[in-house]
Amino acid sequence: MKRGHSVDVYSPGKCSGIEFTHHEIKRSSIRGIQSRSIVKQMEKLADDFNLADVALVDWTLFSIAKKLTIPVILIDRSPPADRGLLANLQWLSWKKAWKYAKKGTVVSKAHEEFVDRALKVHSKTMKIIPAGVDLDSFQPADRSGPIKLVYHGRVDVNRGVMSLPMILAGLHSRGIDATLHIHGAGDAVDRLRNIELEGLVITDSIDHDIIASKLSTYDVGLLPMPGTKVWSLASPLKRSEYLASGMVVCGIDHTGHQIEDSGDWLQLFTQREFITSTVDWIANLDRSKLQSLQKQSRDYAEENLSWSHSVDALESMILS
């Protein structure tokens, strides 16, 4: 918007505090047909879409591209994440979308290489657009007291979140005063709430502005997602939000979490050693060293993670 473009977004749900124009699309509540239900609604709006200069379409909805006469860019934020029969159907849709697309975006170098290996899509067809962060919303604040660890986002078992209380317990066993804050919804929430552990705080999903305020007071952001295909190709938004908030980050070592030439503010360990190594590393930090690393993480975010970098890449693709 600040670069003189007008943006209309069509998606399920409602949006607030936005500069673009949002159009709400109805979506079925039945898993497996949700994308198709959105496409059906969008097909009725094809004439409106064709008045635009370019369309950015998520791969799950890319069948709408056949109805469009304007240039279309495929947006691939992640390959299919589900399992079983539903995943098989999604992989078919993902492959069809990339085969039909003339241009597309991915979120990381590993993601680009995966698409190329799987479908022989030339890298000139793709542009890497990693998750950026709003540096004005996510900022560090003064920190003191016990070490505060955090995870926010989807709280699903397949994201490795059940390992997080064990990190807190390990710190307590070493005499470290610490708390662990988990914010989000998912299939692991009830299990986590059944764990009786001092300093473990579980909440539902909270608004964007509130999570930004909370992250500014936490010390360590956690990335427990395992090195499966989905997570190893990702560019997790929460990592960028942790760093912009001036936190150090501990996670599992795979390409989705790695940052080239990162400093000591990013600590990645093998999945087998994630719990013990995270506990060891945090236990050997004092507040002075922690504050120094936190400043470095914010400095890195300011230099590398603003949305302007992602917008530059997307705008160059659109204008080409």
Side-chain angles (χ1 to χ4, degrees), residues 128-146:
I128 299 173
I129 302 181
V133 65
D134 184 347
L135 294 173
D136 292 329
S137 296
F138 291 87
Q139 295 193 13
D142 292 334
R143 296 173 166 102
S144 60

Side-chain angles (χ1 to χ4, degrees), residues 74-92:
L74 180 150
I75 305 296
D76 184 355
R77 294 174 296 169
S78 169
D82 287 306
R83 300 176 181 177
L85 177 60
L86 183 57
N88 291 335
L89 295 174
Q90 289 178 332
W91 279 109
L92 286 174

Side-chain angles (χ1 to χ4, degrees), residues 64-190:
I64 187 66
K66 296 176 181 178
K67 300 283 186 179
L68 304 181
T69 58
I70 57 175
V72 180
I73 296 174
L74 180 150
I75 305 296
D76 184 355
R77 294 174 296 169
S78 169
D82 287 306
R83 300 176 181 177
L85 177 60
L86 183 57
N88 291 335
L89 295 174
Q90 289 178 332
W91 279 109
L92 286 174
S93 297
W94 179 80
K95 291 177 180 178
K96 286 181 180 179
W98 270 110
K99 287 182 178 180
Y100 187 79
K102 294 181 179 179
K103 294 282 185 179
T105 70
V106 291
V107 299
S108 68
K109 183 65 177 177
H111 190 183
E112 179 188 60
E113 292 171 350
F114 174 79
V115 174
D116 184 39
R117 286 195 307 271
L119 301 172
K120 307 302 179 187
V121 175
H122 196 279
S123 60
K124 290 184 178 180
T125 303
M126 295 181 275
K127 183 77 75 171
I128 299 173
I129 302 181
V133 65
D134 184 347
L135 294 173
D136 292 329
S137 296
F138 291 87
Q139 295 193 13
D142 292 334
R143 296 173 166 102
S144 60
I147 298 294
K148 301 179 182 68
L149 294 75
V150 66
Y151 170 90
H152 85 92
R154 287 294 305 175
V155 186
D156 291 332
V157 171
N158 68 0
R159 295 185 180 226
V161 296
M162 296 306 299
S163 66
L164 301 182
M166 288 183 275
I167 295 174
L168 179 61
L171 290 171
H172 287 174
S173 72
R174 300 278 288 271
I176 307 297
D177 190 8
T179 59
L180 169 60
H181 305 259
I182 298 177
H183 306 294
D187 59 24
V189 170
D190 289 341

Side-chain angles (χ1 to χ4, degrees), residues 10-15 22-42 44-45 58 60-61 77 82 90 154:
Y10 295 76
S11 71
K14 299 184 182 297
C15 295
H22 182 253
H23 308 265
E24 184 177 2
I25 300 291
K26 299 299 182 182
R27 176 176 62 182
S28 171
S29 60
I30 302 173
R31 290 204 57 174
I33 66 169
Q34 290 178 325
S35 294
R36 184 56 194 159
S37 69
I38 296 173
V39 170
K40 284 185 176 181
Q41 297 296 318
M42 293 174 61
K44 300 174 184 178
L45 301 169
D58 191 272
T60 58
L61 311 174
R77 294 174 296 169
D82 287 306
Q90 289 178 332
R154 287 294 305 175

